[in-house]
């Protein structure tokens, strides 16, 4: 499973590109050669004073100090024929070099701190939403998650697949809002779901537990938005039965792929979670027979509400039959198609989960 829309680039935590490390040395050689080839009354050597600040972006304090020393040597020794700097000129170049060394030292410390913070943040986010295994019991799984907020692994969407005494259960949800502000709610819902998989015999009871969790969080004083709610769909593959149970809490319908046919799974929708209604008015539980080869594609509205340049919504149900034969897998094919449709990817969180009841250890969508 892959998450995140993109890794941070240069100046945001990654090491500088290789060309940035070669640039100061190349510029040094070019300027020296250019000075040698130009008439004596034209001095290009003073451009060398700009090399230490450039080196500070790619090198540490020691490397920047080396470039600053070389520049001072070239400018301060007249016999080299590069420049004829004297007094205040050399003092100015030396000051620039010293400041460049300080900048390089500060940058290296900042980069180390950014790497440390990013490592901790990734570990925390992966603890909330760990990678999806290829199989959970008899159910083959394939998932894809893309957070709308750049540089994050977890946003406002969630999914999980867990095995328990009542079968394999799956959850796909969409928290109100997205980005880091929704991560706490995602963590609370996933924790409640994982407990319910072990404790609650009925799928409607699982929905009620999630509803109570959100209602309690919304009532807490620390919650910024008391109107917090989540749409979700729950699926259950009971042990020894060729059927699937589905509960919808205001969520977009799942798709069932049966051979070349794709259809929306018709389920009487219940209210979203967090309104305090799932316990009083339990959502309807639909049971569907499962045939060999049936696949179920669960998704969030970040997929179906994505728009192209003309304002049209992404036609997931229409595109799935075309993409289902992609050798890279259906979820990856949907994401590539969605990214092309929206010219770079939607601006909302996206979650896709593909499930199939299959006792044989074969690849789900290969």
């Amino acid at each position: 499973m892959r998450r995140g829309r993109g890794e941070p680039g240069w100046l945001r935590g990654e090491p500088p590109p290789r060309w940035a490390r070669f640039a100061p040395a190349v510029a040094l050689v070019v300027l020296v050669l250019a000075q040698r080839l130009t008439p004596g009354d034209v001095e290009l050597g003073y451009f060398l004073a700009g090399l230490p600040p450039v080196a500070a972006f790619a090198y540490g304090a020691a490397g920047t100090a080396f470039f600053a020393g070389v520049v001072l040597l070239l400018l301060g020794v007249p016999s080299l024929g590069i420049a004829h700097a004297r007094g205040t000129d050399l003092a100015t170049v030396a000051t620039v070099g010293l400041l460049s060394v300080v900048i390089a030292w500060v940058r290296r410390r900042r980069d180390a701190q950014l790497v440390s913070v990013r490592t901790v943040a990734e570990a925390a986010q992966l603890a909330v939403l760990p990678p999806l295994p290829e199989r959970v019991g008899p159910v083959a799984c394939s998932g894809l998650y893309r957070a709308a907020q750049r540089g994050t692994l977890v946003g406002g969407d969630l999914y999980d697949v867990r095995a328990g005494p009542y079968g394999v259960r799956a959850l796909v949800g969409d928290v109100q809002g997205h980005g880091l502000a929704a991560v706490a709610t995602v963590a609370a819902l996933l924790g409640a779901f994982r407990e319910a998989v072990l404790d609650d015999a009925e799928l409607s009871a699982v929905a009620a537990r999630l509803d109570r969790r959100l209602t309690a969080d919304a009532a807490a004083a620390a919650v910024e938005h008391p109107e917090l709610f989540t749409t979700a769909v729950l699926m259950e593959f009971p042990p020894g039965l060729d059927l699937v149970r589905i509960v919808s809490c205001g969520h977009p319908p799942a798709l069932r792929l049966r051979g070349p046919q794709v259809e929306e799974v018709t389920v009487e929708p219940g209210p979203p979670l967090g309104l305090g209604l799932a316990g009083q008015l339990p959502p309807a539980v639909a049971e569907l027979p499962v045939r060999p080869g049936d696949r179920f594609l669960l998704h969030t509205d970040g997929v179906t509400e994505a728009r192209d340049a003309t304002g049209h919504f992404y036609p997931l149900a229409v595109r799935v039959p075309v993409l289902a034969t992609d050798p890279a897998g259906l979820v990856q094919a949907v994401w590539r198609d969605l990214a092309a449709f929206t010219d770079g990817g939607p601006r909302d969180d996206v979650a896709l989960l593909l499930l199939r009841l299959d006792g044989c250890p074969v690849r789900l969508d290969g």
Side-chain angles (χ1 to χ4, degrees):
M1 180 188 65
R2 299 181 59 191
R3 292 199 290 267
R5 295 191 62 182
E7 297 298 323
W10 187 33
L11 303 181
R12 295 194 298 274
E14 280 187 349
R18 182 174 298 179
W19 63 262
R21 298 184 62 84
F22 289 132
V26 172
L28 178 66
V29 173
V30 170
L31 286 173
V32 170
L33 292 177
Q35 181 62 59
R36 291 288 189 180
L37 298 175
T38 54
D41 57 343
V42 177
E43 290 193 1
L44 301 176
Y46 287 105
F47 286 104
L48 294 171
L51 293 184
V54 174
F57 284 99
Y59 290 86
T64 304
F66 171 79
F67 276 100
V70 171
V71 168
L72 283 173
L73 179 65
L74 293 174
L75 296 181
V77 179
S79 60
L80 297 177
I82 303 302
H84 302 85
R86 292 291 185 274
T88 56
D89 292 333
L90 286 176
T92 300
V93 174
T95 302
V96 171
L98 179 60
L99 291 176
S100 300
V101 171
V102 174
I103 291 172
W105 179 76
V106 172
R107 183 190 62 80
R108 276 293 177 90
R109 285 188 54 129
R110 185 212 61 178
D111 287 351
Q113 291 173 347
L114 285 176
V115 170
S116 177
V117 169
R118 180 172 175 81
T119 301
V120 173
E122 287 186 353
Q125 292 179 84
L126 287 174
V128 172
L129 195 63
L132 188 69
E134 292 185 1
R135 304 188 64 82
V136 177
V139 177
C141 312
S142 180
L144 181 141
Y145 195 109
R146 292 293 186 276
Q149 187 167 338
R150 184 176 297 275
T152 61
L153 303 179
V154 181
D157 289 356
L158 65 145
Y159 61 50
D160 201 4
V161 183
R162 296 278 166 162
Y166 309 105
V168 176
R169 287 170 170 172
L171 165 69
V172 173
D174 186 356
V175 176
Q176 175 200 21
H178 56 78
L180 293 176
V183 172
T185 303
V186 169
L189 283 171
L190 289 174
F193 171 72
R194 290 160 188 169
E195 292 179 358
V197 167
L198 301 175
D199 299 337
D200 295 327
E202 300 296 332
L203 198 59
S204 57
V206 178
R209 182 189 289 252
L210 300 181
D211 184 64
R212 289 196 305 271
R213 175 73 270 168
L214 275 184
T215 303
D217 287 349
V223 175
E224 182 179 356
H225 301 291
E227 71 278 7
L228 185 67
F229 68 90
T230 298
T231 65
V233 60
L234 294 159
M235 297 189 70
E236 176 184 88
F237 296 88
L241 300 177
D242 293 331
L243 61 85
V244 62
R245 299 188 178 108
I246 304 177
V247 165
S248 175
C249 300
H251 198 78
L255 299 179
R256 178 169 61 183
L257 289 73
R258 176 172 288 175
Q261 298 181 348
V262 176
E263 61 178 351
E264 291 186 350
V265 177
T266 303
V267 180
E268 182 180 348
L273 303 173
L275 304 181
L277 301 177
Q280 303 174 11
L281 300 172
V285 179
E287 289 191 356
L288 297 176
V290 178
R291 297 179 184 175
D294 283 359
R295 291 181 288 177
F296 295 89
L297 181 63
L298 289 69
H299 58 90
T300 56
D301 61 10
V303 178
T304 52
E305 293 184 2
R307 297 173 182 262
D308 63 7
T310 62
H312 293 92
F313 290 111
Y314 180 69
L316 177 63
V318 175
R319 295 297 299 159
V320 163
V322 180
L323 304 172
T325 57
D326 193 304
L330 178 58
V331 293
Q332 291 293 339
V334 170
W335 170 251
R336 291 196 304 270
D337 193 57
L338 180 62
F341 181 83
T342 56
D343 192 20
R347 297 183 179 180
D348 196 2
D349 300 319
V350 168
L352 291 164
L353 181 61
L354 188 65
L355 304 172
R356 185 178 70 186
L357 179 63
D358 184 358
C360 300
V362 297
R363 182 177 175 85
L364 174 63
D365 54 351

